[in-house]
Amino acid sequence: MTDLQKSRPGHAPANFASIGSPYFGIMLAAMAVVLILSNIGASKGVAIGPIITDGGFFLFPLAYILGDVVSEVYGFKVARKAILTTFALSVFASFCYWVIIALPGFDDDFGIAKQEALELALGPVPLIVLASLLGFLVGQTLNSWVLVKMKERFGERRLWARLMGSTGVGEFADTLIFCSIAASVIGITDFPTFVNYVVVGFVYKTLVEFLFVPLTTAAIGWVKKREPSYGAAS
């Protein structure tokens, strides 16, 4: 029995699946798409009454939910690969935006207006990607690590506790790092507004993931039942 399969006496071992079925590839693609779209949306500041957030607020929690499924089913090493792959694709997307903006466009009024719109919409994205790269990398890694460590301790039991505990740790680190870099990009310049941005972001993302725990649990159970190698990978 490997370290990943050890658990407390009286509890089922911490089982994981190996990569081989199409499910991991689908979840990896979904993580990348969600992150790329949330990076674009995050370049827009959003004010809903007294609440300060960004345009990617409704997308980003989905990446963490997918990360929870990958971590629970495949383990920490596979989750880490998914995180790094997702960010490599996000950086590539940011590079493509830079090339598109740099290419010479039409010099008529419509072409000039479109160029200005592209620069305003996609120009800040590289800085948003940097914020996501540091925030998501640290947050998702902590999220995955905490979830897997709790699984090693408790085995297959208390999935809800693993999901909620790992979410709180990961989202706090992610939100603080991301907001510290992204705030100036979306136009936040004063400290009270920055604190609002951080607190709202953390509370919102965490609450969304807590509310989605039943759905995340169901998704994890669905994938586990259909992964032929679940429980066989070390």
Side-chain angles (χ1 to χ4, degrees):
M1 182 178 293
T2 65
D3 290 339
L4 286 177
Q5 291 174 306
K6 291 179 181 178
S7 63
R8 295 176 63 190
H11 294 282
N15 296 318
F16 299 100
S18 60
I19 302 175
S21 75
Y23 301 112
F24 173 74
I26 293 171
M27 287 185 284
L28 176 60
M31 285 178 66
V33 170
V34 167
L35 183 60
I36 290 170
L37 291 177
S38 65
N39 285 341
I40 296 173
S43 64
K44 175 181 178 177
V46 173
I48 305 175
I51 298 174
I52 304 298
T53 183
D54 57 64
F57 77 96
F58 67 98
L59 279 168
F60 198 73
L62 297 178
Y64 264 80
I65 292 171
L66 289 166
D68 284 339
V69 178
V70 171
S71 299
E72 172 69 20
V73 177
Y74 300 98
F76 180 69
K77 290 183 179 180
V78 174
R80 184 172 57 191
K81 291 179 181 178
I83 295 166
L84 294 175
T85 301
T86 297
F87 268 102
L89 294 172
S90 184
V91 170
F92 175 70
S94 183
F95 172 75
C96 290
Y97 303 149
W98 177 79
V99 172
I100 292 169
I101 291 173
L103 289 173
F106 296 154
D107 57 2
D108 58 1
D109 290 342
F110 180 72
I112 293 172
K114 181 175 287 188
Q115 176 69 20
E116 292 176 350
L118 283 171
E119 291 176 358
L120 289 172
L122 300 181
V125 166
L127 287 177
I128 296 295
V129 168
L130 175 62
S132 292
L133 178 61
L134 296 177
F136 190 77
L137 185 62
V138 173
Q140 268 284 21
T141 301
L142 285 173
N143 179 73
S144 177
W145 184 82
V146 170
L147 189 150
V148 171
K149 284 298 180 182
M150 291 181 69
K151 186 174 183 179
E152 290 176 13
R153 182 173 178 82
F154 298 110
E156 294 294 315
R157 301 179 63 184
R158 302 184 184 179
L159 175 58
W160 63 270
R162 295 199 294 278
L163 295 175
M164 296 177 74
S166 61
T167 291
V169 174
E171 286 289 12
F172 178 76
D174 188 328
T175 304
L176 182 61
I177 294 172
F178 176 82
C179 292
S180 297
I181 299 173
S184 61
V185 178
I186 68 172
I188 295 175
T189 57
D190 60 278
F191 187 70
T193 306
F194 170 75
V195 172
N196 185 318
Y197 186 35
V198 172
V199 172
V200 168
F202 170 69
V203 172
Y204 164 76
K205 294 172 186 176
T206 304
L207 284 178
V208 167
E209 291 199 48
F210 283 3
L211 291 173
F212 272 82
V213 162
L215 181 60
T216 307
T217 302
I220 288 172
W222 189 91
V223 176
K224 284 180 177 178
K225 289 179 181 178
R226 286 159 179 79
E227 271 291 4
S229 63
Y230 185 74
S234 61

